[in-house]
């Protein structure tokens, strides 16, 4: 989470809403365990994007089953490019977007492979929307730790 913030926060400027979101996130993470803790990085990545102006619009449905990572929204037609999520990964992303509080993450059952896949996809999402984002070095460590 710290590396993600370092890559996204380029210029120091006052943003009290972002500060309180980050502070609240770290406090919740510190007090969490189990599924909440395991799903927290996914929740954080998705909700943080809104502060930078590229939050994924949660309009997932049977008619819009693909998540186009370039456009940052669920779409009705299969994207022409490889940066998208489909099937259960789109559905899980919609669930994570709908979660407003960390305790709701307890209801989202994911295995380690699903978390790894989503973390990789969300990193691509950030790389598509944040100039000079590059690749996160801590992602491989986090993927190993998450169960």
């Amino acid at each position: 989470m710290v590396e993600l913030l370092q890559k996204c926060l380029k210029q120091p400027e006052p943003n009290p809403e972002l500060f309180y979101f980050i502070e609240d996130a770290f406090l919740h993470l510190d007090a969490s365990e189990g599924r909440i803790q395991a799903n927290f990085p996914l929740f954080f990545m998705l909700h943080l994007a809104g502060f930078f102006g590229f939050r994924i619009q949660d309009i997932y449905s049977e008619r819009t089953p693909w998540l186009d990572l370039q456009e940052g929204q669920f779409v009705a037609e299969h994207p022409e490019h490889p940066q998208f999520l489909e099937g259960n990964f789109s559905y899980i992303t919609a669930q994570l977007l709908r979660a407003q509080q960390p305790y709701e993450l307890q209801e989202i059952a994911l295995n380690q492979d699903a978390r790894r896949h989503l973390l990789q996809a969300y990193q691509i999402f950030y790389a598509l929307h944040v100039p000079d984002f590059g690749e996160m070095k801590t992602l491989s460590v986090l993927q190993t730790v998450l169960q």
Side-chain angles (χ1 to χ4, degrees):
M1 290 167 49
V2 171
E3 183 183 15
L4 178 63
L5 290 167
Q6 289 172 330
K7 288 182 166 293
C8 292
L9 297 171
K10 305 290 184 185
Q11 298 292 328
E13 59 184 62
N15 188 335
E17 294 84 16
L18 176 59
F19 173 81
Y20 292 122
F21 170 77
I22 295 167
E23 179 184 47
D24 192 55
F26 280 106
L27 290 172
H28 276 93
L29 179 61
D30 190 44
S32 68
E33 56 187 41
R35 269 193 206 158
I36 295 171
Q37 191 174 57
N39 291 336
F40 204 89
L42 300 169
F43 172 84
F44 184 79
M45 288 182 85
L46 289 174
H47 289 273
L48 179 67
F51 290 95
F52 301 114
F54 57 91
R55 185 180 198 277
I56 296 171
Q57 296 181 18
D58 179 23
I59 55 170
Y60 174 85
S61 71
E62 288 182 16
R63 286 194 231 155
T64 56
W66 289 281
L67 173 54
D68 185 326
L69 296 172
Q70 283 185 4
E71 297 299 322
Q73 63 184 357
F74 294 95
V75 296
E77 296 182 16
H78 187 287
E80 300 276 331
H81 53 79
Q83 290 87 17
F84 67 90
L85 291 173
E86 62 183 322
N88 197 41
F89 294 119
S90 288
Y91 176 72
I92 292 166
T93 300
Q95 287 184 301
L96 290 163
L97 287 167
R98 290 177 187 146
Q100 294 301 307
Q101 295 297 321
Y103 70 85
E104 296 173 70
L105 299 174
Q106 181 65 36
E107 304 303 316
I108 303 173
L110 298 174
N111 63 31
Q112 188 174 12
D113 290 335
R115 286 189 189 100
R116 284 180 180 164
H117 185 82
L118 289 170
L119 283 169
Q120 190 66 38
Y122 299 165
Q123 177 184 250
I124 291 168
F125 174 65
Y126 270 84
L128 289 166
H129 293 89
V130 176
D132 302 320
F133 185 81
E135 194 168 320
M136 294 180 64
K137 293 176 177 42
T138 56
L139 191 59
S140 62
V141 174
L142 183 60
Q143 289 174 335
T144 302
V145 171
L146 288 180
Q147 298 183 33

